[in-house]
Amino acid sequence: MITQALFRALDKRAIWIILILLVVAVAVPASNLLLPTGHPLRLPNYVVPLFGKYLTFAMLALALDLVWGYCGILSLGHGAFFAIGGYAMGMYLMRQIGTRGVYANPTLPDFMVFLNWKELPWYWQGMDNFWIAMVAVVVVPGLLAFVFGFLAFRSRVTGVYLSIITQAMTYALLLAFFRNDMGFGGNNGLTDFKDILGQSISAPGTRAALFAASAVALAFAVFACSMTVNSKLGKVMVAVRDAESRTRFIGYRVEYVKLFAFVVSAVIAGIAGALYVPQVGIINPSEFDPANSIEVVIWTAVGGRGTIIGPIIGGILVNVGKSYFTGAFPEYWLFALGALFVVTTLFLPKGIVGLIGQYRAATTKREQHDRGDPTPRQVEAGVDPQPNPAE
Amino acid sequence: MNAARLLQRIALFLVLSLTLAIPARAQVADSDLSPLVDALAPGNFKDREAAIGVLVSTEDPRVVPILEILLEGELYFDDATGKVVFTSAPSGKGTISDPLTGDELPTVTEDGLDKVKVNNGLRRVIRTAIGQMTLLSEDAGVRRFAAQSILRDADPAQLELLDSAIAAEADTGIRQTMEQARAVIMLKTPDASVADKTAAVPVVQAIGGRDALNVLTTALASAPAELQPTIQTAINGLARDRAVWDVAQNIWFGISLGSVLLLAAIGLAITFGVMGVINMAHGEMVMLGAYTTFVVQEIIRQNYPGLFDWSLAIALPLAFLVTGLIGIAIERGIIRFLYGRPLETLLATWGLSLIIQQAVQRIFTANIREVGNPTWMSGSFELGGLAITWNRFYIVIFAIIVFLSLLTVLKYTAIGLHMRAVTQNRRMASAMGIRTPLVDAMTFGLGSGVAGLAGVALSQIGNVSPNLGQGYIIDSFMVVVFGGVGNLWGTLVGALTLGIANKFIEPYAGAVLGKIIILVLIILFIQRRPRGLFALKGRSIEA
């Protein structure tokens, strides 16, 4: 019966995405590990963590989509949750280095020895335990989102104001993590990781496992998001997005709905960050850069917000494009990215997924027209279109 | 005393003697004075004393530096010709010059130079002579300079001379300096009487500043027990003054930072207030304004160097035009299609900001460009205990002018009236016949133009680089969010509050932590007033 309820909650598309992700989670590592070198279908070693990175970015875009696409909250600080999850993972990985560091200190990471610290700060205690670190990955971004969201939504900070203060939040964290006194390695961040769960972090097997973990985590995130948006709560979220005041007057506690979406989204972003760090091998404060968080918004927008598949497509496509551009024409990447922002907002308000929908609608319309049906009523362009809080 | 400092003194005295209009009769021709100087070389100390007497009787100010060099025992004479010379290196390797004119003389062979010898008796004579020529000089400028230099050096040997100078001095200002010098000397002399020292303490305290504090602190260590409370009180008083001035200095720094924030944020506040859109490319408009200044200065440097001091006056209207037109183009080309979708406008303008930055980087390279200060903007001046640099000072003035002119435009012009109407209620304004699209375009142009003006100002206090605007954009947002929109006063109060708060937190928490604290405070502040300090009151639910 539970399965039945689940299937009802998930729409057909989400099931397809989850299935594809699970297949990828098996196929990519298998191709890399099992096929002999030189086989045309074998993925080279460097590709596996690269694809893994794209998947974590897709997950981050999906997290943003949950709040922006479904709940109308444009967060310009989602990179902060991603980075915090990453730092939690990075702390665990730092503690695993042990005596293999430059200063060979069994408990203190190198940068602390370098700064003449005598003992671990309290927040580093216990981070050598994988499961405690994983709890931190989930709890810390969630807690930050809860406190921040509680304060912001309760006092009805909405729209552009909210966007700006989320940006201020990530900027404040950026500055904070740059400080050596914070105990997170200052501007060098955390790096030089050796192993994870006893396995060498650079071994092909570990990388394949991390990739599989990323794909499974993304599948799980799709599952969770899809469940949420198809539930009754999800409908209320959309209602908040489209007409916040009206939803409030009907009697819903809008701030709690928003808070729920914001916290779930932050947790997903944190998990994405935790998977990102071991695959790229470093986490530093630049992940908190407000520019990064805005870039995440464009991934979501390009793919199509308000859909589950959109941000995944957007996150992967834009980042593949970025890898290609920064390699082939480094001078033009920012032009391309800037143009992407402008073109997407002007011509593709619903993203790539929306483009397909538009095409379908156009086809239907033509068919209707051919059959002589009256054209659907057009919304007249007034001097001042009613501002839509979703946008 | 090293050679460089001597040269410096000579130059100073020469300048002084030229500029302060030394009475004509005191000026003796080089040819007349030269043999008198040369007379210092031959004979014994007695002859030398006589020669000094003759030199002093000329009352020529050029004699003073020569005597000072002689006092240091660093005046030489040529064995062969008997000519007194000044050398930059006594070993004979350095250049040799005439002590009177400063002209370089042909180098003589090694060992060809001998020192003009002085003993203690002669030193006293020379000191008195110098004092007579300076402290007792007829020219007030020379006396003031001498008094100031004694105040600085506080040499106890000059006490007697100083006393006679004080008695003879008519100018109250100069006498005050002399008395201050005397007080400092008193405190520095171990064998001065307690009564003298007690009298000296308030005089020194009145000088104020760090130097006085140092003098008193040193005196406290060696002072007799009965004097110590007096000195301690004076020190406490000075320290209190210092603290007050430090606060004043912080306020000034805060105002200065606040005026920069005001310039950067005010355009943003206007566009946000009228159109409800956040222009993420605002920082780039500031950057373009700064680059306009750079280009103007480059052209002036290459073609019309004489106009350099006018470069800012030329750059200001140009920057306003350039960025204003670009702003209008952005509004007509992009933002117009995104009305009613403020968040998408934010994204589109962010994309634009990336493109503009990269384009500027392609044209001007990523190197940091330095924009010069016109002469009237360089240097600094002191106001009480405050050190104020001219460029900061002018930027504060400029910010006030920009603020007031915008206020005037909004209040007394037709377009300003329309802008206020649209800010208050767009649909009603439209119904009343105001062409809102035109108002939007004009507003965006004005906001961008003001950003360009801010860029000209910012180019004067920092370097110009393609990401100049990025550094200001978040701070400007904070000002707008804090101050609220729809009212320029909100922006003013917001900018000044943030600037001053920043500078007051900085000494305790450090620059970075200070900034973090400010950001956190703003995020908390937003809880209480979600629409900023000066929120526009209206009846609509969704503002």
Side-chain angles (χ1 to χ4, degrees), chain A residues 74 151-152 155 157 160-161 163 168 171 175-176 245 294 297 305 331-332 334 338 341 345 349 383-384 388 391, chain B residues 278 280 340-341 343-344 347-348 350-351 355 358 362 426-427 430 478 512 516 519 526-527 530-531 541-542:
Chain A
L74 176 55
L151 291 172
S155 51
V157 180
V160 185
Y161 276 95
S163 304
Y171 184 59
L175 294 176
S245 301
I294 299 186
V297 176
R305 68 202 147 98
E331 300 274 303
Y332 294 97
L334 281 182
F341 272 97
T345 45
V383 276
D384 175 32
N388 181 355
E391 289 157 333
Chain B
I278 278 282
M280 291 294 246
R341 299 192 286 169
L343 296 185
E344 305 221 330
L347 294 180
W350 171 261
I355 294 174
Q358 192 67 10
R362 300 275 299 164
R426 170 174 291 262
R427 305 182 106 190
S430 175
M478 291 304 113
V512 176
I516 298 169
L519 286 174
I526 284 270
Q527 312 304 320
R531 295 271 173 253
I541 305 156
E542 276 157 11

Side-chain angles (χ1 to χ4, degrees), chain A residues 179, chain B residues 246-247 250-251 253-254 257 496-522:
Chain A
R179 303 179 68 233
Chain B
D246 279 348
V247 169
N250 271 341
I251 291 178
F253 283 148
L257 177 66
L496 287 183
T497 315
L498 290 194
I500 293 175
N502 218 327
K503 288 296 170 189
F504 267 90
I505 296 178
E506 234 171 56
Y508 308 104
V512 176
L513 198 58
K515 216 162 187 182
I516 298 169
I517 292 173
I518 294 281
L519 286 174
V520 172
L521 286 181
I522 290 176

Side-chain angles (χ1 to χ4, degrees), chain B residues 418-441:
Chain B
H418 293 171
M419 277 162 66
R420 280 184 293 141
V422 174
T423 309
Q424 282 177 10
N425 193 328
R426 170 174 291 262
R427 305 182 106 190
M428 184 60 84
S430 175
M432 291 293 172
I434 292 173
R435 288 168 61 195
T436 50
L438 182 75
V439 172
D440 286 336

